[in-house]
Amino acid sequence: MSAPASLNPAQMQAVHHLDGPCLVLAGAGSGKTRVIVHKIARLLQRGPGAELAPSQIAAITFTNKAAAEMRERAKALVGAKAAKGLVISTFHALGVRLLRADGAALGLKPTFSILDSDDVHGILRDAGGTTDAATARRWQWAISLWKNQGLDAAQAEAQAANPDEIQAARVMARYQERLSAYQAVDFDDLIGLPVALLTREAEVRGKWQAALGHVLVDEYQDTNAQQYALLRLLTGERAMFTAVGDDDQSIYGWRGATIDNLKRLPEDYPKLKVIALEQNYRSTGNILRAANCVIAANPKIFEKKLWSDHGDGDPVRVIECDSEEHQAERAVARIQALRAQGGAVLGAGAPEGQAIEWKDFAILYRANHQARVFEQALRKAQIPYKVSGGQSYFDRAEIKDLCAWLRLLVNQDDDPAFLRAVTTPKRGIGHQTLAALGQFAGQWKVSLYEALFADSLGTALTAKALGSLHEFGRFVNDLEQRARHTRGAEEARPLLLGWLKDIDYEQHLHDGEDSEKLATARWTNVLDFVDWIAKRCGGEMVQDVGGTVETEKKSVLEVAQTIAVILSLAERGDEQNVLTLSTLHAAKGLEWPHVMLVGVNEGLLPFKMDDESLTPESLVQRLEEERRLMYVGITRARSTLAVSWLKRRKRGRETVAGAPSRFIAEMKLDENRVQEDPRERLKALRAQFAARAAAAPTSP
Ligand code: ATP
Ligand code: MG
């Protein structure tokens, strides 16, 4: 492999284009993300007077995890101090920053809450007067897509095509009223509100445009209309930005991402410098050819060539499996066989002779539920793994309980947080009391928390109910005061543990869980979480380039304010030596030496092509997006790729005959096999023997 600092001429050109908008449009593994990291370094180091300060550079990634990874890569190039000051985040996290600083112009307090999908669902059921989860989910979906297109409730209603949509738009209006009463925003608002703010307030816009010298966007093909609007507003006339992307990897169309953002760029910016990258540095020839063959079946928006000089490598394997269990067994067997062979045979992935580690493997699938059988098999074989893209640590009930409490401390107007905290654990405040409180709050247009302290509330409630509410209110008040003044990890830990003891949370877990073991596991999560928050309160000694330094101290309340963002898109990006189980969507941008794509069946990937509710055009669109997903999957692999399919698969409760995905035939492996170079095989075998000989114990 080449030195870490090297760039090819086209990459170099992208890095050195500093005086106008730039688009790098190129296939998978061609070093687009690498261009972003190197360009950050270049912007920091460019000639005297022209260089930017770290805080003037914003790099936008698709997930928090990708942001953390990019910061690491930047650190290696520019040093810890500069890397720390860079703005590297998702669009959403950048939106939070903007709103906390300048949201007041929209009537938003800096302590606003960020609702998660469950909260939104609950509010919609309430606002729409339905108990039907499916209906509420449909509204949630419709509202989200509208927001992503920049429509408000009135505009949505005006363009509604049928009675269902009209109803959803009306529910949206009521939903928005509640959000503003709660001082809360949803996920889509984190983009939409900054767009509204910057459009309306020239002064705020000027301030941000002056603050940001250059904006870099990774995975540009998966931005939606509002994100594009935000990019335009942030960069203004000067248009100092670099976007990198690959239309063949656009896989979030279902969530409102639009490839129009790519097509529009040259029209909106006539000075746009477009750069193509053609060398793939990630995969072997066999893997890359399979990927190119599959994607060739899609209509081309931008013609791309992609080649690799890694040699052919191992052929792509197709594995037929009898059942899901069988598939998991075969995967485990393959992993063990590859490990036993050692890295020597495997070219691009592992340097010769170096052992293959667990973190070199990934098993990728289309849908979350497919992970379960693999988890069982991996546990049985004692192979350590992590699941990404599925239920996150922060989605767990116990963590959400605690987050609701923290949210309430930060923003007392957050009614959903209030309702969760007041009932978790149960403290003798029943539904009737809460309904009466809700009615009172509605009548006076105040939040539940504010209503609780109103003098006239006594007329609506019994003395006992009122007493319990007041006790709760005083407790929250007192906790908030203490959280405000507790600084640093050392003080934060006892405060948090004391709070959990006061509300008797451990007992609450045991009461709610039949199995002792599960309750204990939940409590362990809670302690983990406490530790995680405490660490963020700082004041601890950490190793840095300059020796050990003390981290900046923050109060528990300050940390609680930022939690929602960290949690919302958070995958806890700890670098452990474990195998990765991941959905294809969550695997975007990543790479592993050894990849297995599993469940590559008709009906799974491509997903449900017999959906009768879809029009012929949307079926074609779905197929094309599924094909891009397959392309993303194949191109995650560096050295080896195995693709497996099921001869029998489960559909709901039934077991049905399975057919291999059409994408397997589209890889054209038979044609490729002819090209397999026998010399490669021989070279590999020799290396294998050499490695074995080296590893064999020598006699004294
Ligand atoms: P994706 O489309 O999957 O996001 P990408 O285009 O962003 O891929 P990178 O992740 O930047 O590609 O690069 C893929 C791999 O190739 C990485 O391991 C990277 O370090 C390596 N690489 C990229 N450019 C070069 C280069 N000029 N020399 C050596 N290695 C390179
Ligand atoms: Mg990338």
Side-chain angles (χ1 to χ4, degrees):
M1 225 182 281
S2 8
S6 63
L7 293 173
N8 65 34
Q11 289 175 322
M12 201 74 98
Q13 209 187 359
V15 166
H16 286 268
H17 185 77
L18 296 173
D19 40 40
C22 177
L23 170 68
V24 178
L25 185 60
S30 58
K32 296 184 293 299
T33 303
R34 187 182 181 102
V35 161
I36 291 202
V37 177
H38 281 258
K39 191 150 185 178
I40 292 174
R42 176 79 190 130
L43 288 162
L44 287 171
Q45 287 154 0
R46 131 171 94 149
E51 74 272 24
L52 297 178
S55 64
Q56 290 179 287
I57 301 172
I60 301 188
T61 58
F62 203 71
T63 59
N64 286 335
K65 189 168 157 217
E69 221 170 87
M70 188 173 285
R71 196 178 294 279
E72 277 307 306
R73 289 217 227 168
K75 197 162 133 187
L77 276 186
V78 303
K81 192 155 160 276
K84 204 167 153 231
L86 295 165
V87 182
I88 304 185
S89 76
T90 59
F91 268 115
H92 290 90
L94 186 65
V96 174
R97 200 183 250 252
L98 235 136
L99 292 177
R100 294 246 191 256
D102 295 307
L106 297 174
L108 214 53
K109 293 185 197 161
T111 56
F112 66 84
S113 298
I114 301 164
L115 301 180
D116 67 19
S117 164
D118 284 356
D119 295 319
V120 170
H121 187 85
I123 297 171
L124 282 174
R125 275 160 83 148
D126 221 37
T130 182
T131 51
D132 181 34
T135 310
R137 218 173 300 123
R138 267 205 310 282
W139 290 336
Q140 192 168 357
W141 202 241
I143 292 171
S144 174
L145 286 179
W146 282 328
K147 286 193 175 186
N148 285 335
Q149 291 159 17
L151 303 178
D152 64 19
Q155 291 164 322
E157 184 167 345
Q159 58 105 63
N162 56 49
D164 274 354
E165 284 186 22
I166 293 176
Q167 194 196 13
R170 292 192 179 149
V171 173
M172 180 174 176
R174 267 172 274 154
Y175 167 74
Q176 285 308 123
E177 277 170 20
R178 295 200 181 200
L179 291 200
S180 47
Y182 300 161
Q183 282 290 316
V185 304
D186 65 23
F187 247 65
D188 302 312
D189 291 335
L190 294 177
I191 314 295
L193 292 178
V195 167
L197 177 69
L198 295 178
T199 309
R200 233 162 57 193
E201 307 288 327
E203 203 178 308
V204 180
R205 186 168 66 237
K207 178 183 124 182
W208 282 88
Q209 288 180 356
L212 294 177
H214 204 102
V215 180
L216 305 107
V217 186
D218 200 0
E219 307 280 0
Y220 179 73
Q221 76 281 357
D222 277 322
T223 51
N224 64 35
Q226 287 290 78
Q227 288 167 335
Y228 180 51
L230 185 54
L231 176 67
R232 284 180 66 89
L233 286 161
L234 284 172
T235 54
E237 289 279 305
R238 287 171 58 239
M240 288 299 176
F241 66 80
T242 302
V244 312
D246 177 7
D247 50 307
D248 288 332
Q249 294 185 71
S250 142
I251 53 177
Y252 281 91
W254 55 282
R255 225 168 59 179
T258 165
I259 207 75
D260 283 347
N261 287 351
L262 261 180
K263 294 192 208 146
R264 277 179 55 184
L265 219 47
E267 295 159 25
D268 291 347
Y269 296 94
K271 286 214 193 100
L272 183 76
K273 173 94 182 160
V274 183
I275 293 170
L277 307 176
E278 300 190 331
Q279 180 167 2
N280 171 300
Y281 289 91
R282 180 179 292 147
S283 311
T284 63
N286 276 322
I287 292 169
L288 195 60
R289 270 195 299 276
N292 286 340
C293 286
V294 166
I295 204 64
N298 268 7
K300 286 272 148 294
I301 307 182
F302 302 98
E303 200 60 53
K304 277 179 299 220
K305 286 185 287 229
L306 212 49
W307 58 276
S308 154
D309 73 357
H310 281 326
D312 283 343
D314 268 20
V316 174
R317 310 272 169 194
V318 175
I319 304 175
E320 254 181 50
C321 307
D322 297 330
S323 64
E324 288 191 44
E325 288 72 21
H326 184 221
Q327 179 174 244
E329 279 163 29
R330 300 277 311 250
V332 166
R334 180 173 168 85
I335 293 163
Q336 283 164 338
L338 282 168
R339 291 244 312 168
Q341 273 176 42
V345 254
L346 299 161
E352 284 199 15
Q354 190 175 309
I356 305 181
E357 303 194 75
W358 298 125
K359 65 173 160 55
D360 295 337
F361 294 96
I363 298 178
L364 309 179
Y365 38 80
R366 175 70 177 82
N368 279 313
H369 68 82
Q370 292 172 271
R372 204 181 45 84
V373 183
F374 289 96
E375 286 193 71
Q376 282 164 355
L378 291 167
R379 273 201 299 266
K380 201 167 135 205
Q382 295 191 323
I383 297 176
Y385 66 88
K386 65 173 176 201
V387 185
S388 67
Q391 197 208 22
S392 127
Y393 170 76
F394 300 106
D395 291 335
R396 302 198 177 147
E398 62 275 18
I399 305 301
K400 286 186 132 178
D401 286 346
L402 305 188
C403 287
W405 272 88
L406 294 174
R407 254 165 57 189
L408 184 62
L409 295 186
V410 175
N411 169 17
Q412 276 97 31
D413 292 330
D414 186 338
D415 283 0
F418 178 94
L419 286 172
R420 187 151 186 163
V422 79
T423 50
T424 319
K426 297 251 181 303
R427 47 179 62 244
I429 298 175
H431 265 302
Q432 271 182 344
T433 305
L434 290 173
L437 181 69
Q439 207 171 23
F440 183 90
Q443 199 178 342
W444 295 98
K445 302 218 177 313
V446 294
S447 68
L448 293 170
Y449 188 81
E450 211 177 326
L452 184 154
F453 290 111
D455 289 337
S456 48
L457 180 65
T459 54
L461 286 170
T462 65
K464 184 162 169 277
L466 194 65
S468 310
L469 280 176
H470 280 170
E471 196 192 320
F472 176 72
R474 277 195 301 272
F475 182 76
V476 171
N477 235 336
D478 172 60
L479 189 61
E480 189 251 345
Q481 285 302 319
R482 284 186 291 141
R484 186 185 296 277
H485 299 295
T486 312
R487 305 184 79 79
E490 213 173 304
E491 288 182 26
R493 270 192 200 97
L495 173 96
L496 294 165
L497 292 172
W499 154 51
L500 293 174
K501 199 157 188 294
D502 286 342
I503 64 171
D504 217 1
Y505 194 71
E506 189 175 5
Q507 187 58 43
H508 165 75
L509 290 178
H510 282 277
D511 293 344
E513 199 67 71
D514 290 336
S515 127
E516 275 298 298
K517 221 169 120 195
L518 271 179
T520 308
R522 285 182 183 276
W523 179 243
T524 309
N525 286 337
V526 168
L527 294 178
D528 226 30
F529 184 65
V530 164
D531 201 53
W532 187 81
I533 296 178
K535 281 217 179 83
R536 275 173 174 65
C537 293
E540 293 186 315
M541 304 306 283
V542 294
Q543 285 290 341
D544 205 345
V545 269
T548 36
V549 291
E550 196 185 86
T551 53
E552 189 196 342
K553 275 192 188 176
K554 290 187 188 142
S555 75
V556 173
L557 210 60
E558 282 170 301
V559 171
Q561 273 188 26
T562 57
I563 260 176
V565 220
I566 312 176
L567 302 197
S568 49
L569 302 155
E571 304 85 46
R572 292 206 301 174
D574 25 31
E575 263 319 300
Q576 300 156 332
N577 186 12
V578 298
L579 173 148
T580 299
L581 284 172
S582 172
T583 60
L584 288 163
H585 281 100
K588 199 169 70 147
L590 306 177
E591 60 186 27
W592 295 269
H594 307 287
V595 170
M596 280 169 263
L597 297 183
V598 299
V600 187
N601 273 65
E602 280 299 305
L604 288 171
L605 180 69
F607 189 67
K608 272 209 205 157
M609 291 302 293
D610 53 359
D611 190 336
E612 280 162 15
S613 68
L614 291 180
T615 61
E617 292 109 74
S618 33
L619 268 180
V620 170
Q621 271 176 14
R622 172 178 293 180
L623 180 64
E624 287 171 8
E625 184 148 320
E626 296 289 312
R627 190 174 279 120
R628 292 192 290 269
L629 210 43
M630 179 76 180
Y631 175 75
V632 167
I634 297 172
T635 53
R636 298 310 95 199
R638 292 170 58 181
S639 306
T640 76
L641 174 68
V643 177
S644 63
W645 64 278
L646 305 162
K647 286 197 276 187
R648 300 188 66 71
R649 69 180 182 96
K650 292 206 189 76
R651 198 163 64 187
R653 293 238 173 95
E654 294 168 89
T655 302
V656 297
S661 165
R662 67 193 81 186
F663 301 148
I664 293 183
E666 287 176 6
M667 291 194 293
K668 304 212 172 113
L669 296 178
D670 292 338
E671 286 170 42
N672 285 340
R673 197 148 296 143
V674 184
Q675 298 168 21
E676 194 182 335
D677 184 347
R679 278 171 309 180
E680 283 287 316
R681 225 33 262 164
L682 206 62
K683 199 170 115 203
L685 269 173
R686 269 202 212 107
Q688 189 180 353
F689 283 126
R692 288 248 171 88
T698 43
S699 46

